[in-house]
Amino acid sequence: MAKKNRFLFIDLSRSKTWEEEPDGVFCRKFLGGRGWALPYLLKNQKPKTDPLSPENILVVATSVISGARGPAMPRVIVCAKSPLTGAFGESEAGGYWAPELNKAGFSAVFVLGKAPEPVYVWIKDGSVEIKKASHLWGKETGETQALIRNELDDNRARVLQIGPAGENGVLYANIVNELAHFNGRNGLGAVMGSKHLKALVVRGTKEVPVSKPERVKEINAWTATEGLKKPAGELLRRHGTLPLVRAFQEMGVLPTRNWTRSIFWGGEKISAENLHETIYIESKGCFACPIRCKRRAEVNTDKYQVDPRFGGPEFETVGALGSILEIADPYLLAKANELCNRYALDTISLGMTVGWLMEAVERGLVTPEECDGLDVRFGNGDVLIPLIKKIVNRQGIGEKMAMGSKRLAREMGLEEEEFLMEVKGQEVPLHDPRAKTGVGLGYALADYGADHLVGPHDTVFASADGPGIKEASGLGIFQAVDPLSLGPEKVRLFYYMDLYWRLIDMLGFCTFGFVPRGPIPLEMMVDLVRAITGWPVSLWELLKAGERTIHLARIFNMREGLSVKDDRLPARFFKDFEEGALRGKGGINKEQFEKAREMRYGMMGWDPETGRPLPERLYELDLGEFVDEL
Amino acid sequence: MSGHSVRIKIRDWRGTEERMPPEMEMPSGTGLGDFLETLPLAGGPGYYTILLNGRPAERKITLQDGDEITILPLSVGG
């Protein structure tokens, strides 16, 4: 017997809750995550809705397979219109919350309206209660979780919450579960805060029924043994994502000093090896996952104390707050990371926003007085913690910085300057698209703004004996593709990967678990879906489900007024590197990029000039009911 | 080996327990790809970023005495 998917609706304005059971065809056709969110948003939310208004619907979803004890499938997917980008917003997080929601009897929560006063929602084994949270409002995530568990008298209650950043409407506020697993990017924490919703707390004691439990067990056992022997599995388990610091530094592609340089003088100090010697104490994992890639940091010096409950900085944080700002103090990075996690604040957008300000000050375009007298310049770590606090509390310069780098630049009259590093208003992550052009296409075309997890990275497919070709050729890529090319072969590769990555995200899978990024093979992934749901699915059918959501998100974004001009890259990526192994390659060729974008539209079945999905493509995908939304 | 060999330096940043020797001798005329095949790289060379003297290089290139090979994890995001 497989599980039944039930959706929980919470109308905070009317303090009402109800349940709906979606039909099986809908569940199989859209699978979960963004697949469940997008049809609902398109049908029930008016275009141009203010993302911080009660009318913006927040969807906290899992999938048709969530809750089963399979490997690398712990993720909770949050969707809403993003206040940072004005586009469809989406973010996934690992941890334990998604399985717990399913054990409590639900597969997704749709949050409507706005509570008159702060509340949290307590979901336990099918019962739902809206509880007052005024006493929790303003508190950091650690204290909030402890207070909620205490008042519920349940230490195993799973708390998905916002921190002060979300309450105060910081446009890059996160949502967090278990204090260290973040729905980052897109500012969805601010959406939750705008609804006066402090937390969704779940506890479930019922096992999630699975069609073929023995097969799920076998796949779990394989992952914990054979899977961990594979290079990707072993590396993630031993070092998490941190080895990227040295890899990028050695190649001269480590984003440094707001992307003006690509080799950081302090690179050694923020390397995986040094961070393990100085701040990391252990690794932790997510529900039923043997890889355990998450780092935990602890610091006890005279200057800084860091609590390991809040995890530890991953690569993106080390880059955004380290090399981008030229800060090489591991203890400060650990403390800044902990503070961001206490406040539930996105570290990538934070780093890029501070980096933009540092460059603006150093160029003489912004005065120290405009920075509240702080000595905001690259390498001065003393300003980092004061700036974080100003942003979260929206004080002084922090009021403007809380809106992200694009709005900050606009407020300062500097939006046209070339050193603004964002796409669709979202700050770019720490992977230089001049070294991986497919990542650049992903930054430009992702419906939710620049993001490094929108697809795999080019290097996986760089050689015929690499994991992309050897282990994922079942996706239809048979030959190596040069990481620097922007020809049809690259466009095709990333078109296929977009379908696959959307599928991974929709199902609540972790990209670190599955080929080509992780160890679990394609056929085992399909088998896992079959074993859990009992449906005789094929890879083709699953990829089609992923494809549907790309078109639905495109329709959503076009309704919001986004267009081809938003599928772009920051100007700095069209210039050559100043140093490193790729200096002299000239950066991304703008003409090639624009041709690649047009070709991608064509492959998608979108109008090459307007980027608008063509009706026949929507009919092919069984999305005819959305043609009129165009 | 003597006159008909080249010394290759290895910088191993894979982060695994097993470490490569810092230097190896190979017959003169050995190509980068052939050299990499002799190394105990789990999964094979394609699972790593390989730099020759600090830059990406084609596997067919012939190694020279004193060349330095850097072995890094694939820069695959995360």
Side-chain angles (χ1 to χ4, degrees):
Chain A
M1 186 181 77
K3 74 164 176 168
K4 284 195 171 161
N5 294 289
R6 288 196 302 161
F7 292 170
L8 171 63
F9 289 80
I10 304 169
D11 186 337
L12 292 172
S13 298
R14 296 188 296 152
S15 198
K16 285 187 70 174
T17 68
W18 69 94
E19 299 170 22
E20 291 181 16
E21 193 171 311
D23 70 60
V25 172
F26 174 86
C27 287
R28 185 162 167 178
K29 188 170 154 184
F30 291 107
L31 297 176
R34 60 192 262 140
W36 288 347
L38 277 160
Y40 190 82
L41 293 179
L42 284 167
K43 287 180 181 173
N44 295 283
Q45 183 163 304
K46 287 181 185 164
K48 310 284 172 103
T49 293
D50 176 352
L52 297 181
S53 73
E55 287 72 36
N56 194 18
I57 299 164
L58 182 74
V59 184
V60 184
T62 67
S63 81
V64 293
I65 61 168
S66 300
R69 293 194 67 84
M73 40 177 279
R75 291 170 92 77
V76 52
I77 307 105
V78 181
C79 302
K81 181 177 175 182
S82 163
L84 186 67
T85 66
F88 172 68
E90 177 188 359
S91 177
E92 298 84 28
Y96 295 81
W97 195 89
E100 197 76 20
L101 179 72
N102 281 268
K103 289 198 277 184
F106 297 104
S107 302
V109 182
F110 293 73
V111 185
L112 320 175
K114 176 184 180 178
E117 291 178 72
V119 297
Y120 72 91
V121 177
W122 172 222
I123 303 164
K124 184 176 184 186
D125 283 334
S127 70
V128 183
E129 190 179 351
I130 299 174
K131 296 174 80 77
K132 289 184 179 174
S134 295
H135 60 300
L136 304 172
W137 207 249
K139 296 202 182 309
E140 295 172 10
T141 54
E143 190 179 2
T144 298
Q145 179 170 285
L147 285 167
I148 288 176
R149 285 178 171 172
N150 191 45
E151 70 187 41
L152 296 175
D153 194 22
D154 190 337
N155 269 331
R156 296 187 63 187
R158 304 293 186 185
V159 181
L160 181 115
Q161 60 168 315
I162 57 167
E167 295 172 10
N168 294 335
V170 178
L171 296 190
Y172 43 98
N174 289 347
I175 298 167
V176 59
N177 77 86
E178 297 297 298
L179 305 183
H181 299 274
F182 290 89
N183 294 98
R185 323 266 38 219
N186 276 199
L188 299 175
V191 176
M192 196 160 152
S194 74
K195 297 184 171 301
H196 276 162
L197 178 60
K198 180 68 172 170
L200 290 168
V201 186
V202 296
R203 183 77 168 93
T205 59
K206 293 168 187 153
E207 275 302 303
V208 173
V210 166
S211 181
K212 293 176 184 164
E214 286 308 313
R215 182 59 186 140
V216 178
K217 263 188 199 173
E218 283 171 13
I219 294 173
N220 240 345
W222 181 92
T223 307
T225 52
E226 298 306 308
L228 284 182
K229 291 178 190 166
K230 290 182 172 264
E234 190 198 357
L235 192 70
L236 282 166
R237 185 172 53 83
R238 289 173 64 87
H239 296 290
T241 54
L242 263 299
L244 286 172
V245 173
R246 183 174 300 284
F248 287 176
Q249 174 86 342
E250 291 282 338
M251 289 193 69
V253 299
L254 180 66
T256 301
R257 203 178 170 88
N258 197 36
W259 300 83
T260 56
R261 300 198 58 182
S262 55
I263 298 173
F264 178 33
W265 55 264
E268 196 61 40
K269 291 187 176 175
I270 62 169
S271 67
E273 293 80 4
N274 196 48
L275 294 182
H276 277 94
E277 279 190 17
T278 52
I279 63 169
Y280 292 139
I281 56 166
E282 61 182 343
S283 61
K284 288 280 181 181
C286 297
F287 173 80
C289 181
I291 295 175
R292 299 173 71 81
C293 67
K294 303 283 284 184
R295 306 292 98 175
R296 299 229 296 185
E298 184 173 28
V299 174
N300 283 300
T301 66
D302 290 343
K303 197 169 181 183
Y304 303 117
Q305 289 79 48
V306 173
D307 185 336
R309 289 181 305 150
F310 297 95
E314 310 276 348
F315 166 72
E316 298 296 327
T317 301
V318 169
L321 304 183
S323 57
I324 282 290
L325 308 182
E326 294 198 318
I327 294 172
D329 178 351
Y331 302 107
L332 172 56
L333 294 180
K335 185 64 192 176
N337 178 72
E338 183 216 57
L339 278 181
C340 288
N341 294 358
R342 285 179 183 272
Y343 302 145
L345 184 67
D346 186 88
T347 54
I348 299 174
S349 284
L350 168 71
M352 294 303 153
T353 302
V354 175
W356 180 90
L357 186 63
M358 285 179 168
E359 185 164 351
V361 171
E362 294 210 350
R363 284 170 172 243
L365 300 169
V366 173
T367 65
E369 290 71 33
E370 288 177 289
C371 301
D372 305 337
L374 290 172
D375 185 13
V376 178
R377 61 182 159 78
F378 291 111
N380 183 15
D382 289 345
V383 300
L384 184 55
I385 289 175
L387 282 175
I388 291 171
K389 291 181 176 174
K390 280 176 177 286
I391 289 166
V392 169
N393 295 309
R394 301 185 64 155
Q395 294 167 337
I397 184 70
E399 172 67 29
K400 291 174 183 166
M401 296 179 78
M403 303 291 106
S405 59
K406 185 176 181 180
R407 289 172 177 83
L408 172 65
R410 188 183 297 157
E411 286 282 317
M412 299 282 192
L414 300 170
E415 195 180 7
E416 300 305 317
E417 297 287 337
E418 66 170 20
F419 59 100
L420 184 56
M421 305 300 289
E422 53 74 36
V423 181
K424 297 184 176 75
Q426 177 155 274
E427 291 74 17
V428 294
L430 280 294
H431 299 263
D432 198 318
R434 290 173 291 182
K436 302 187 274 191
T437 56
V439 170
L441 284 174
Y443 286 176
L445 288 156
D447 33 65
Y448 43 80
D451 189 74
H452 57 294
L453 294 175
V454 71
H457 291 200
D458 306 57
T459 40
V460 173
F461 300 92
S463 64
D465 58 350
I469 311 298
K470 266 173 77 174
E471 301 193 39
S473 60
L475 292 168
I477 304 297
F478 312 119
Q479 290 178 315
V481 179
D482 182 349
L484 303 188
S485 80
L486 260 175
E489 74 290 349
K490 178 63 65 75
V491 180
R492 173 173 165 270
L493 166 62
F494 278 84
Y495 166 43
Y496 285 8
M497 291 307 130
D498 203 1
L499 314 186
Y500 179 51
W501 239 245
R502 302 292 71 73
L503 169 66
I504 287 176
D505 286 347
M506 291 161 74
L507 285 170
F509 280 143
C510 173
T511 58
F512 289 176
F514 298 87
V515 295
R517 180 69 177 90
I520 304 172
L522 288 173
E523 59 271 24
M524 214 174 260
M525 171 199 272
V526 177
D527 225 13
L528 198 51
V529 180
R530 286 176 175 166
I532 295 170
T533 62
W535 298 332
V537 297
S538 65
L539 183 58
W540 189 88
E541 174 191 336
L542 295 175
L543 291 173
K544 277 292 181 190
E547 188 170 16
R548 279 185 195 103
T549 69
I550 302 171
H551 294 263
L552 292 181
R554 188 76 180 179
I555 294 170
F556 184 97
N557 285 353
M558 300 209 95
R559 284 194 344 174
E560 298 298 328
L562 279 82
S563 67
V564 177
K565 67 178 172 48
D566 296 294
D567 295 339
R568 46 169 278 278
L569 285 173
R572 209 155 246 177
F573 294 142
F574 296 109
K575 295 188 172 175
D576 201 1
F577 282 101
E578 294 286 325
E579 56 198 340
L582 299 181
R583 186 181 177 196
K585 298 284 185 186
I588 293 176
N589 180 300
K590 194 165 191 178
E591 194 179 330
Q592 284 180 6
F593 168 77
E594 286 169 356
K595 275 187 183 166
R597 180 178 61 188
E598 190 178 318
M599 181 168 286
R600 171 60 191 267
Y601 291 166
M603 287 186 188
M604 290 299 298
W606 296 351
D607 183 285
E609 285 185 14
T610 65
R612 185 175 290 269
L614 299 173
E616 49 268 46
R617 196 75 179 89
L618 298 183
Y619 286 117
E620 186 274 328
L621 288 162
D622 196 11
L623 295 174
E625 61 189 307
F626 298 98
V627 167
D628 291 341
E629 299 292 340
L630 283 167
Chain B
M1 290 184 204
S2 57
H4 299 295
S5 66
V6 291
R7 285 184 174 274
I8 309 298
K9 293 176 191 159
I10 303 174
R11 300 175 69 226
D12 178 8
W13 292 112
R14 288 174 303 152
T16 56
E17 264 179 45
E18 182 189 49
R19 306 288 298 175
M20 298 284 174
E23 193 170 278
M24 286 178 73
E25 256 184 55
M26 297 298 291
S28 181
T30 300
L32 172 61
D34 292 337
F35 175 71
L36 293 174
E37 291 298 336
T38 68
L39 302 178
L41 292 168
Y47 285 72
Y48 305 87
T49 294
I50 308 288
L51 301 180
L52 176 62
N53 300 322
R55 302 184 72 89
E58 290 189 21
R59 300 274 176 88
K60 63 186 178 189
I61 200 165
T62 302
L63 294 173
Q64 305 295 318
D65 193 47
D67 275 350
E68 180 180 83
I69 289 172
T70 306
I71 307 169
L72 298 156
L74 276 184
S75 56
V76 289

